[in-house]
Amino acid sequence: MRVKTIISLLTVIMLAIFLAGCDDVPQQEINDANAALDAAKKAGADKYVPEKYNAAKQALDKAMAVVKEEESAMFGSFDEARTLLAEAKSSAEDAAKAVAAKKEQVKGEAEALLAQIPDKVKAAESAWRKAPRGKGTRDALQQMKAEIEQAAAQQAEVNTALSNGDYLTAKQKAQTISKK
């Protein structure tokens, strides 16, 4: 009878040690980090501050790799994963906060480029008028004129992109027009 009691007591102690060594998967932290990354993406961080967004995504990916590794371990500890998840969440929140300032900067740049377009179109038209006319220049001059008219027409596209809040597209279109 004594042997059974000792074996039972040892079994209970071993079970308690085993259960104490098992840490739970930090599901709430995973959910919080994923939500912060999703919020950053919805704010446009992947477009306006991609370096910050990618850093947050990499931290989350690394944390998830640690979670997966610890889940398969006999006595998994998720302390490192919790630290990485907190870092991922913080990085994602920082990326989301940085979007507003970056949008304003890009918007200002797009507006500045847009303001220059009419002068550039006038300069191109002036150059077109002064271009030498003669044998073999007709096609080149027609192409030039078409590009000038197209550049003038694309100003409306830049304005539309600006009014829709798509500042990156507006800036890119304005840069394209300015280069022409």
Side-chain angles (χ1 to χ4, degrees):
M1 183 92 157
R2 255 183 137 167
V3 173
K4 286 184 178 180
T5 306
I6 292 173
I7 290 175
S8 295
L9 186 60
L10 285 174
T11 303
V12 169
I13 292 171
M14 292 296 283
L15 184 60
I17 291 171
F18 177 74
L19 291 175
C22 294
D23 195 4
D24 290 332
V25 173
Q27 193 59 51
Q28 184 61 46
E29 289 91 339
I30 292 170
N31 294 344
D32 291 347
N34 277 319
L37 195 64
D38 288 344
K41 185 167 184 154
K42 285 179 185 174
D46 58 329
K47 294 176 186 172
Y48 287 94
V49 286
E51 64 288 338
K52 291 182 183 231
Y53 177 80
N54 290 335
K57 187 165 178 13
Q58 288 171 354
L60 180 59
D61 290 345
K62 186 176 179 182
M64 293 309 296
V66 170
V67 167
K68 190 172 187 174
E69 182 181 311
E70 292 299 328
E71 278 181 317
S72 64
M74 186 168 209
F75 296 104
S77 172
F78 295 98
D79 292 338
E80 181 185 0
R82 283 185 178 89
T83 302
L84 291 169
L85 287 165
E87 178 187 324
K89 180 182 175 191
S90 176
S91 294
E93 289 170 346
D94 290 346
K97 289 175 187 173
V99 170
K102 187 65 174 182
K103 275 186 174 182
E104 283 303 312
Q105 176 191 347
V106 172
K107 178 183 177 184
E109 291 169 357
E111 288 172 340
L113 287 168
L114 182 62
Q116 296 172 1
I117 291 173
D119 292 336
K120 290 187 177 196
V121 167
K122 285 179 186 176
E125 286 174 340
S126 175
W128 177 79
R129 279 191 219 95
K130 293 177 184 174
R133 308 270 195 280
K135 192 174 183 180
T137 61
R138 182 173 183 218
D139 290 340
L141 289 170
Q142 283 179 342
Q143 183 179 355
M144 241 177 150
K145 181 68 173 171
E147 287 180 9
I148 292 169
E149 290 170 355
Q150 182 183 19
Q154 287 177 334
Q155 288 181 63
E157 293 176 22
V158 175
N159 282 323
T160 301
L162 278 171
S163 63
N164 289 339
D166 190 1
Y167 305 128
L168 284 175
T169 300
K171 180 181 174 185
Q172 290 168 346
K173 286 183 183 273
Q175 284 174 329
T176 302
I177 295 168
S178 290
K179 287 178 185 176
K180 287 184 179 181

